[in-house]
Amino acid sequence: MKDTGRWVYQEEQVPYAFSLCRVLDAGTADQSYDLLGIVRVRVDRLHPERLPAGLRPWALATLANGGYGFGRFYASYSTLDEDGEPDSNLADEYIDWSGSEVLSPQQAQPSTR
């Protein structure tokens, strides 16, 4: 009897990644994104909801260690297409960066009248 083999279902491995872009001409009609970097991340199949929580810390560490100056940045957690580019967005965040830390809107001071 000859062994003809058999088909075994293999789950397709979808690649996931964090990416960081500089937002050019932020808030204008000419707004565009300059991709600065992508890092592939592993998804814990038992707890996939944990991964998006790592996006902001990763983006801030990347900004702090990368010497990026003042500007607006866009961080995203997404799948990657066949060319290794961000594809389906799962989570994202805009970060206003001073060059050394996150800029946050000034809180209104209570009136002392």
Side-chain angles (χ1 to χ4, degrees):
M1 179 173 171
K2 184 177 177 185
D3 184 19
T4 59
R6 62 182 179 160
W7 288 96
V8 177
Y9 174 76
Q10 293 181 339
E11 183 177 335
E12 183 178 334
Q13 294 288 331
V14 176
Y16 294 89
F18 289 161
S19 60
L20 184 65
C21 298
R22 179 182 293 275
V23 181
L24 305 172
D25 298 321
T28 71
D30 295 327
Q31 181 170 302
S32 62
Y33 299 85
D34 180 24
L35 182 61
L36 301 174
I38 299 172
V39 62
R40 285 184 69 160
V41 292
R42 282 200 111 134
V43 176
D44 179 348
R45 299 217 183 270
L46 297 176
H47 303 284
E49 72 282 355
R50 291 181 183 168
L51 194 55
L55 177 62
R56 183 177 178 84
W58 170 81
L60 294 178
T62 301
L63 288 169
N65 294 317
Y68 297 103
F70 175 83
R72 176 166 258 207
F73 295 85
Y74 174 76
S76 70
Y77 163 54
S78 66
T79 60
L80 296 176
D81 66 15
E82 58 277 351
D83 296 323
E85 297 290 322
D87 191 24
S88 296
N89 194 22
L90 303 168
D92 61 0
E93 180 170 351
Y94 284 93
I95 300 170
D96 294 319
W97 185 249
S98 74
S100 60
E101 63 184 0
V102 175
L103 296 171
S104 58
Q106 183 176 357
Q107 298 292 327
Q109 297 296 325
S111 177
T112 55
R113 290 187 201 179

